[in-house]
Every structure is written in C-alpha cells, then in structure tokens.
Amino acid sequence: MDNTDNNKYVRLKRRIYLVIFPLLFITNATYWLFSPYVDRFMGLVLPFLCLFFAIVWVLIYYNRLMRTCEIISLGVFGIYHLFRVYSLTGQLEEGIINVYVLWSPIYFVYIFMVLERKKALGYSLFIFLITVAMGIFHFDNPRANDTLIQFYISTILYTLILFYFQRIVSAYIESDILRKNAYYDSLTDIGDHVLKEFSSLVKSYIRSSDFFGRWGGEEFIIISTNQPLAEATQFAERLRGIIENHSFRYVDHVTASFGIACFQPTDVSKILIKRADQALYSAKKNGRNMVKAF
C-alpha cells in the first residue's frame, strides 16, 4: 500500500479501537465484579487490565503513540490469553466451560490487525502451540478431551481464515485499482483523440486571421479581430452546430458551449477573458450546447 492507503488503514483501525477498547473495559469490569469464577489472582489482574484499557483508549483518542499502544497491547493480550487458556484447561476437568472460549478468537483478529500478514500467521501459530502444550496433559481426561480438541481445531480455522481473508482483501483492492487505472487510461487515450479531432475541426472553419488555442483541460479560446458582437455570436452559433453534427471517430457526437465577450476601449486582457468566462458559465448553467454573449 502507498502512504495514502496506509493513512486510511491507520485511521480505520483508530476508529475500531475507539469502539473496541471501551467494550473490553466494560466486559472485563463486569466479569471482575459479578462472575463467580473470579479467583484471587484474577481479582488482582482484572482491575489493572481495566485501567490499561482506559489508558490505551485515552492515548488513541488523542492520537498519541498509537503504534506503541498496539504493540504493547499485543503483548498484554497475549499474556492474558495464555493465562485464560491455562485456567480453561484446568476448569474443563471439573466440567466447567470457561466463557473465554467464546472470546479467544478476538485476540487472533487483533493479531492480524496489528501485524503484517505473514508475521501475524507466525505469531498466531506460536501462541497456538503454547496453548497446545498447556492442554496436552489434559487429553486423557474425558471431560476435557473433546472440548480441547474442538477449541484447538477452531483456533486453527480462525487463524487460516484470517490469513487468507487478508490476502483476498489485498487482491481485491489491487484488482480494483488496476481496473480503475485501466479505465482511466482508456478514457485518457480516447480523450486525447477527441481533443485533437475537435481542434482540427474548429481550425478548418475559423478565419486565417483568428487565433485558436487550448485554454484549459476541455476549454478552448478563439480570438477574432474586427468582428462585432452580433457577427461573433452568429459565427459561434454556426460553429456550435457544426460541432454538434460532426461524427467523431471514438465518441460519435460532442457538443460545445460558447461564451462571447467583445473588447472595450478600457479593457485589459484579464477583464475581457473574465467576461467571456462568465458568459461561458451562463451557457453551461442554462443547459450547455448553446451560445451566450456577455
């Protein structure tokens, strides 16, 4: 991604964090205050975790140290994730299904938000292998065995889905950019041909004493000497009809709007062009393909 895309992605992540971190604060505070499964250790950890969420949210809100907050949060969440999985494996032997089973996929989503795709995959697998090592001693317990296997399989699936989904999104963005560029390039070629044919057509109908040139992207200027306003208007109307009825090679038909201004004894070139531009604006505003004299 170029710098523009990177900036957009960072702004998007910032908006997500501003929503997610308050939800994490509320969830963990609720768990700390009301869950019957909070032991003494978790009773000490959860208040500090809630404080951490609040500090990170404030820093991100004021757009301070966002990347640092992401990396530190990645480590804090990793330690918390491993501890919760460790508790989960022990509780399974007692027949208790820890609700963290439902929340653990969010950590892997966060990993892929913070790290580049391949690094995120490697880090996710590293965390996964640690959790497998934690649970391997509980496989012989019938209460724990099935849940652990389902937990590990689902974790692998989440990780692979995130890995390939990120690739799919990148491929879609790349193809969309290529499609837009191809479309834009084809218009720019076509546009050049139309402008050249338009110029040749106008030049073939103006007097040799007239000056004709390109004034802007799709605007042209004709400077005609010794021609009163009425005659200039008639000439512009005739030229407008010629352009409208001409069959262009690439786009079939093109129309043109004209703004006319006549030189006054007190005029300078800037004022004369400004009056012609005002007349042209009036022609475009009133439906295009017409002639307006100032």
Side-chain angles (χ1 to χ4, degrees), residues 8-48:
K8 289 180 180 178
Y9 183 55
V10 170
R11 288 197 296 269
L12 174 60
K13 288 200 297 182
R14 180 173 176 269
R15 288 195 292 268
I16 293 173
Y17 295 154
L18 289 176
V19 174
I20 294 299
F21 276 93
L23 292 177
L24 291 174
F25 175 89
I26 293 170
T27 301
N28 282 273
T30 303
Y31 180 68
W32 169 44
L33 294 173
F34 302 110
S35 175
Y37 301 109
V38 176
D39 56 25
R40 181 177 296 180
F41 179 76
M42 287 298 292
L44 294 174
V45 169
L46 287 172
F48 287 102

Side-chain angles (χ1 to χ4, degrees), residues 24-262:
L24 291 174
F25 175 89
I26 293 170
T27 301
N28 282 273
T30 303
Y31 180 68
W32 169 44
L33 294 173
F34 302 110
S35 175
Y37 301 109
V38 176
D39 56 25
R40 181 177 296 180
F41 179 76
M42 287 298 292
L44 294 174
V45 169
L46 287 172
F48 287 102
L49 194 62
C50 291
L51 178 62
F52 174 76
F53 291 146
I55 292 172
V56 169
W57 185 87
V58 170
L59 288 172
I60 293 175
Y61 179 81
Y62 287 103
N63 207 13
R64 297 287 189 272
L65 305 174
M66 180 169 150
R67 186 58 183 168
T68 302
C69 289
E70 282 186 314
I71 298 300
I72 294 175
S73 297
L74 192 65
V76 171
F77 293 160
I79 295 170
Y80 181 72
H81 172 77
L82 293 175
F83 177 79
R84 293 302 301 272
V85 172
Y86 177 78
S87 300
L88 179 152
T89 57
Q91 290 173 348
L92 285 175
E93 290 196 357
E94 302 172 13
I96 301 172
I97 303 296
N98 194 309
V99 293
Y100 187 70
V101 171
L102 305 175
W103 289 93
S104 62
I106 295 177
Y107 177 57
F108 294 92
V109 174
Y110 182 73
I111 291 173
F112 278 88
M113 287 180 63
V114 174
L115 300 179
E116 181 270 329
R117 180 169 162 260
K118 291 183 179 179
K119 290 181 180 178
L121 178 63
Y123 185 77
S124 298
L125 293 176
F126 172 71
I127 294 293
F128 171 75
L129 290 175
I130 295 177
T131 60
V132 171
M134 290 177 177
I136 198 168
F137 300 106
H138 300 276
F139 282 159
D140 58 349
N141 186 290
R143 288 182 175 179
N145 186 286
D146 183 62
T147 303
L148 281 175
I149 291 174
Q150 296 300 321
F151 174 70
Y152 293 138
I153 292 175
S154 64
T155 301
I156 283 291
L157 287 176
Y158 293 140
T159 302
L160 291 176
I161 288 170
L162 288 166
F163 178 75
Y164 286 109
F165 179 75
Q166 199 176 63
R167 181 68 190 97
I168 290 169
V169 171
S170 298
Y172 173 79
I173 293 173
E174 290 172 6
S175 64
D176 189 55
I177 291 172
L178 289 173
R179 179 183 60 80
K180 289 179 179 178
N181 286 342
Y183 178 69
Y184 175 79
D185 289 343
S186 65
L187 287 179
T188 304
D189 297 340
I190 293 175
D192 286 345
H193 283 292
V194 172
L195 291 175
K196 289 177 182 177
E197 190 173 352
F198 179 89
S199 299
S200 298
L201 179 66
V202 172
K203 285 179 180 178
S204 64
Y205 285 95
I206 62 175
R207 302 175 305 179
S208 58
S209 58
D210 294 337
F211 172 83
F212 172 71
R214 190 173 178 181
W215 187 249
E218 295 181 354
E219 292 186 353
F220 294 84
I221 187 170
I222 299 174
I223 300 175
S224 185
T225 57
N226 299 320
Q227 198 168 34
L229 182 63
E231 291 184 12
T233 303
Q234 290 176 358
F235 168 69
E237 183 61 43
R238 175 169 170 262
L239 194 56
R240 184 202 62 77
I242 291 170
I243 294 168
E244 181 182 20
N245 294 315
H246 180 77
S247 180
F248 287 81
R249 180 179 178 185
Y250 290 97
V251 295
D252 196 16
H253 293 288
V254 169
T255 60
S257 299
F258 291 77
I260 301 174
C262 276

Side-chain angles (χ1 to χ4, degrees), residues 250-285:
Y250 290 97
V251 295
D252 196 16
H253 293 288
V254 169
T255 60
S257 299
F258 291 77
I260 301 174
C262 276
F263 179 78
Q264 303 297 328
T266 57
D267 279 345
V268 293
S269 58
K270 185 177 181 179
I271 298 299
L272 178 62
I273 291 172
K274 182 177 180 181
R275 291 207 307 270
D277 190 56
Q278 289 174 342
L280 176 61
Y281 175 78
S282 177
K284 290 180 177 180
K285 184 179 178 181

